[in-house]
Amino acid sequence: MNNKTIKHAVFVPVYNISVSSDIVNTAVFDDYTFVRSNRILDRYGSYILSHDHFARQFLQDIADWHPEKSIFFPCANLVLVKEVESIDTDEDNRKTAIAIKKEINNIMLALRLSNKGLCQINNGYMLSCDHSSCQQFGASSKLENIVAIHQTVTGGWVRENDYELNKEVLSNAISTYNMLKTMKAKVFVPTTYFNKYYDSLTPYERIIQMAIIFESSILAGYTDELNYRMMLRTSAILGRNVEDLLKLFYSIRSHIIHNGNIGKNKDYKDILKKLKKFTGIESKDETELLFYFVKDHIEPILREVLYKSFKILAETELNDFEALTKELDKFILKQITKDTFKSKIENGELNNK
């Protein structure tokens, strides 16, 4: 029996992102194209039927105002679009949906690893004249968590970075996307919680997500001396000393997990003092200080650690983070030798009494 071929358009609204004009309407990731929302109907109107439930839902996502849209829900100014063909059977449509889900997850991970900014998605839509469907992704954020401005517990306001996609960032993102497509290493847990970071509103939530990412990646295979190992391994893989930042981060993480807050402990004043020093913000608002400490200092470290780790895993025979951390430890031990330490003493590089 001959089955007919059906043509779909895949639409994924993208939030909190700006794309340079020389990238818009150009195929970037496996024929996915960034299209401005106000051009969608002109270019792809034949796929969007007014009586279709998912088509109406998609139009709500990309409209500043819509009669069926809550005023509190965000508007996506850009949409990732791809036209696909498949045999019109349940099995082929299912395989197409699975492939699209994997592609979108890899695209979002590649974008997030390549630049700062709260780049977010919620739903993805497959629309055609015959069928329509809607799905979410591992990289999806809840609609209520897609916001660029947050209010702190004391009534202040803090702002996320918008994601800026230019030619240079896109080149890095495409390279990362191609790397992710071929990588066979097991990175499910850190990737899952990296996506959860983009679905969290408060710095307290984000610190917990980040701690899980560190412990399932750079600390994989160990349950003791985590603070020390994290500082040593992270500094080694980055090639620079980030001890002070990570020491403060891990102290805050421990207070949140074990005490439920950072305020009721003897180190609180010292923590606030260090947060003010790193952020350059003179504020008594704990949430504000934590927000900018996480966003501007810890998230860039974590993003770089994941990118460099994924690159190593993709280019070597190492198949998981535990294998990677063992190699990192070997590298660190080679750097810390008796002869090196002895030479420091002989050269007067250590502080004398």
Side-chain angles (χ1 to χ4, degrees), residues 128-147:
S128 74
C129 295
D130 298 303
H131 302 292
S132 67
S133 62
C134 172
Q135 65 177 333
Q136 291 203 329
F137 310 92
S140 291
S141 301
K142 294 183 285 294
L143 270 181
E144 57 268 28
N145 289 348
I146 299 177
V147 290

Side-chain angles (χ1 to χ4, degrees), residues 342-353:
K342 181 181 177 182
S343 67
K344 283 182 175 292
I345 297 173
E346 291 172 347
N347 294 333
E349 295 179 34
L350 299 180
N351 292 327
N352 296 321
K353 288 185 177 180

Side-chain angles (χ1 to χ4, degrees), residues 220-270:
Y222 293 86
T223 57
D224 60 341
E225 298 181 338
L226 298 183
N227 190 1
Y228 175 72
R229 291 181 191 276
M230 179 175 68
M231 291 185 291
L232 201 61
R233 290 175 179 170
T234 302
S235 295
I237 203 166
L238 298 183
R240 64 182 186 276
N241 188 348
V242 291
E243 177 183 356
D244 291 341
L245 280 165
L246 292 184
K247 187 180 290 185
L248 178 57
F249 166 79
Y250 210 78
S251 174
I252 294 168
R253 165 260 183 210
S254 297
H255 287 306
I256 292 172
I257 290 177
H258 300 298
N259 302 326
N261 59 73
I262 67 169
K264 295 180 180 179
N265 68 83
K266 61 182 180 180
D267 302 324
Y268 184 60
K269 288 184 178 179
D270 185 52

